[in-house]
Amino acid sequence: MARRKENDRPHQSNNDDSDSNSVEDFEEEPNFEDPEDYEDDISEQDLIGDLIRQRPKETDGVESIVVVDGVPQVGADRIEKLQNVLRKLFQKFGNIKNEFYPLNADGSTKGYVFVEYGSAAEALEVLKGTNGYKFDKNHTFTVNLLTDFEKYDNILEKWENPTPQPFREQGCLQYYLLEPDACDQFSVVYEQGDKVAVYSNSQPEPALLEERPRWTETLVRWSPLGTYLSTFHAKGIALWGGEKFQQIMRFSHPGVQFIDFSPCERYMVSFSPLADSKATDEPQAIIIWDVLTGLKKRAFNADKSQALPIFKWSHDDKFFARMGPDMLSVYETPSFGLLEKKSIKVQGIRDFAWSPTDNTIAYWVGEEKDTPARVTLLEIPSRNEVRVKNLFSVADCKMYWQKSGDYLCVKVDRYAKIRKDKSDIKYSGIYYNLEVFHMREKQIPVDSVEIKETVHSFAWEPVGSKFAVIHGEPPSTSVSFYEVKTGQTPTLAKKYERKACNQLYWAPSGQFIVLAGLRAMSGTLEFIDTHDFTVMNTGEHFMATDVEWDPTGRYVATAVSWWGHKVDNAYWLWSFQGRILKRVALDKFCQLQWRPRPPTLLQPQQIKDIKKSLKKYSAQFEVKDRLKMSKASKELVEKRRKLMQDYEDLRSRKQNEYEEQRHRRIELRNNVDTDETEGRGGELEEETVEFFIKEETILLDE
C-alpha cells in the first residue's frame, strides 16, 4: 500500500509526544492501481467515444480550409462587391471563420480564394456543392481541400495495380421469373419477428422455399423489382437473393430503421434516427449506397421534422430530390452532386412528387398573404415549368400520380372561412376539389371535380383511366368511380351508397378493386369488377389490418398483424373474385409481403392481342389446373394408403408380441387362461344370486 512518511505529516508540538507515540509512523492511503494481471477489455472508443471525437488533431484548422480557383480577377475598387457575392454563396454550407484573397502588386485579385470553415465536414459539403459551379459565363469554380495539395504531391511515381478481388458466384438472382407456372412468392414474418419464411404460391398448397430463425430483427422488405430480400439488424442491412437466398451484400449502418430503394435497384438509402447529425465528422444519419458494389456514395444529415422518405427518386435513377426550407434540392447520379451546383428556390414549398414514367416533378406551394397557392410541373434537368395551376382558398393539397404517368390528380382541401390565431390557423366550411392534369395532351389541360363531402381515400386505376374516391361521413360513406377521357371532364361512372370501407386496393393490372374496411371497421371486404361494376363477392376477415395484391392480380392476401392486434393473428388468401382459398393462423404473425416482379417486356399491343385471345389460352390453363388437382388428389390418396399400411403393420407386430407373451400371462394369473372366451366357461365357476324385492297382489274383476 502507498504510505506517507513521518516528515510529510504536519508538525506537532512537544507537548503531544505522548499522544504521538500511539499514532502509527505511517498512514495508509487508498490504492487505485489495477492488479498486475488485470487486463482491460473496454476500449477507449467505447468508454469515452464522444470525447475522443472532440480531441484536437494535428490537422485541425487545415482540413477545414478550401481553396477556390476560377474566381474572377477584379481590381481593388471591385473587391468588396466580389467578397459579398462569394460570401453569400459559401455561407450556405456552414459558418465561415476566415477568408483570404491573395492580391497582386496593383491590388487586384489573383483568381483564387482561401476559405476557412468551422469543421472539416462543412468543408467537404462546400467541395461537393461548389466544385464545378458555374459562377458566370466565363468563370467556373474548381474547389479543393487545402490538404489535397499535399496528398497529390505525394503520389507514387510508379503505378501499382490494385489487387483484384476474387469473383463470387451469386447464382441467378431472377430465377423466380423462370417458374413454369408463374407462381408468385411471398415472405412471412411471425413469432414476433423471430422467424421468417418464404413461400411459393403453388396450388393447391403453398410450398415452403426457405425458413430461418432470427433472419431479421424487425421486418423484411423486397426490393422494387423483387431481386433482393432485405433484412434489418442492429448493425445495418443485409441483402439476400438467389435460389438458396444466400447473402449478397451487407451495409454497415448502426441503428438503421428505414430503407428505400431507387426504382431500378441501383441505389439504396438507409436512415438511422439514432445517428448524431451534429457530429463534426462525416454525416451518418442518411447514407446512399451502391447496391452492386456496397460502396457508400454520399451521406447527409437528417432533419427530424421531415417526413419519410426524405429523398424521392426519378423513375430512371438519374435524379433524386429532397425538400428544404423554401427550396427543392435535386441531385444527379452518379456524381451525387447538386444539379447545376445549386438548389431550386421555391418560396413556401409544401410537398413534391416525381412522375412514375418521366423526369417531371410536381410540387405545390401554399398561400402567402395575397399570393394564391399553386401547383407547378417542372421538367428536370432543364428546370422548365411546363404547367402552373393557381389555386385559391387552399388549406391543404395531396398529389396522386397514376402509375402509367398519364394523369396527375391533386386533391385540394378548400375552405370557406379562415381564422388566424397567434399560434394556429383554423379552417371552417371545408370542401374538396380534384384537379386532374392530362399529362399526355397538348398544354396539359386541367379538369376539376368538386366533392362537398369529406374525402377519406383516393386511388388511381394502375392501368386504365378510372379513379375511385371514398367520401362521406361514417357509417353512410359512399364510393364513387370516375372515368377520365381525352378532352373531357371526368364523368361519374358508378356510385355505391352506404359502404363500410375506408381503403381502396386496385389490382396491379387494373379493372378489379377491393373495398376494404380495415381495423375499426372489422375487416369487411367487397370485390368489384369495374368493367361492368358488378359485385363479384363479399367477405370478412375480422380485424384485418392489411390487404396485399400479388404482382399478377390473381390473388389477394388479407392479414391480422401482431403489430396491430395481439389476438387472431393470421393471413388469408383469396382469389381475385373474392373466393377464400386458404386460412393460415401463425403465432404472433407480423407481416406478409408479395415478391414484386419487374415490368413486362410485352408491348401494349401485344397485351391487347393476348386479352382478345384469352379464351384460347385459358382452355390450356384449365387442363393444367385439372391435372394439378387430380395429381394432388392422387398424392392425397397415396398418403392415406401409406398411413393405413403403417397402421396395419403396427397392429400385426403388436398382435405377434401379444401371442408370444401368452404363456407368461397364464403363469402370472395362476395358470388361468383369460384370453379366450370359451376357456372361461369351463375354468370359472358361475354363481347365480337371486334377491326377493317385493310381492304385489292384483285383483282382477270378473
Side-chain angles (χ1 to χ4, degrees), residues 24-233:
E24 296 180 358
D25 293 337
F26 299 97
E27 291 183 354
E28 292 186 356
E29 289 185 350
N31 182 12
F32 296 101
E33 295 181 357
D34 295 326
E36 294 182 359
D37 58 345
Y38 176 76
E39 295 183 2
D40 190 357
D41 58 350
I42 302 177
S43 65
E44 291 185 353
Q45 183 65 34
D46 295 334
L47 193 62
I48 51 173
D50 295 339
L51 295 177
I52 291 177
R53 283 199 296 267
Q54 300 175 10
R55 182 171 55 190
K57 305 175 184 176
E58 293 181 1
T59 55
D60 284 353
V62 179
E63 290 181 339
S64 59
I65 299 177
V66 295
V67 183
V68 184
D69 199 2
V71 176
Q73 299 182 16
V74 298
D77 56 334
R78 299 179 60 190
I79 290 180
E80 184 177 356
K81 183 177 180 181
L82 176 64
Q83 290 176 340
N84 291 334
V85 174
L86 294 180
R87 192 177 297 117
K88 184 177 180 181
L89 171 63
F90 290 110
Q91 278 179 343
K92 297 178 182 178
F93 301 93
N95 184 23
I96 297 177
K97 298 293 185 180
N98 195 8
E99 54 187 10
F100 175 66
Y101 290 76
L103 303 178
N104 295 311
D106 59 355
S108 62
T109 60
K110 289 188 175 182
Y112 55 91
V113 181
F114 296 87
V115 184
E116 181 182 0
Y117 284 87
S119 66
E122 293 177 348
L124 286 173
E125 289 297 318
V126 176
L127 178 64
K128 295 173 183 177
T130 59
N131 187 32
Y133 178 81
K134 192 172 183 180
F135 186 69
D136 56 30
K137 294 182 179 180
N138 301 320
H139 298 86
T140 300
F141 290 165
T142 301
V143 183
N144 291 280
L145 297 174
L146 184 60
T147 54
D148 288 344
F149 289 89
E150 181 179 356
K151 181 178 67 174
Y152 296 140
D153 189 50
N154 295 329
I155 295 177
L156 297 176
E157 295 182 0
K158 184 179 180 180
W159 168 254
E160 295 181 1
N161 292 323
T163 304
Q165 296 295 325
F167 175 74
R168 186 176 63 172
E169 179 63 41
Q170 296 180 347
C172 180
L173 299 181
Q174 286 79 26
Y175 79 97
Y176 61 98
L177 300 176
L178 304 177
E179 210 279 331
D181 297 323
C183 294
D184 287 294
Q185 298 179 6
F186 61 90
S187 62
V188 175
V189 181
Y190 60 102
E191 290 190 7
Q192 200 175 339
D194 287 343
K195 285 189 177 180
V196 178
V198 180
Y199 290 88
S200 174
N201 191 31
S202 56
Q203 297 300 323
E205 293 291 331
L208 178 63
L209 301 178
E210 193 74 24
E211 183 179 28
R212 298 178 189 175
R214 295 178 294 278
W215 200 351
T216 183
E217 296 182 15
T218 52
L219 50 88
V220 300
R221 180 173 178 180
W222 295 100
S223 58
L225 303 181
T227 307
Y228 308 103
L229 177 67
S230 57
T231 57
F232 289 70
H233 307 273

Side-chain angles (χ1 to χ4, degrees), residues 563-595:
W563 295 331
H565 297 288
K566 303 305 180 186
V567 295
D568 298 333
N569 303 132
Y571 69 88
W572 293 3
L573 296 179
W574 310 69
S575 71
F576 72 96
Q577 297 168 321
R579 181 169 56 90
I580 184 69
L581 302 176
K582 191 171 184 60
R583 296 179 175 90
V584 180
L586 293 174
D587 181 35
K588 296 181 180 179
F589 163 79
C590 298
Q591 180 192 38
L592 182 146
Q593 278 194 335
W594 292 97
R595 187 171 193 169

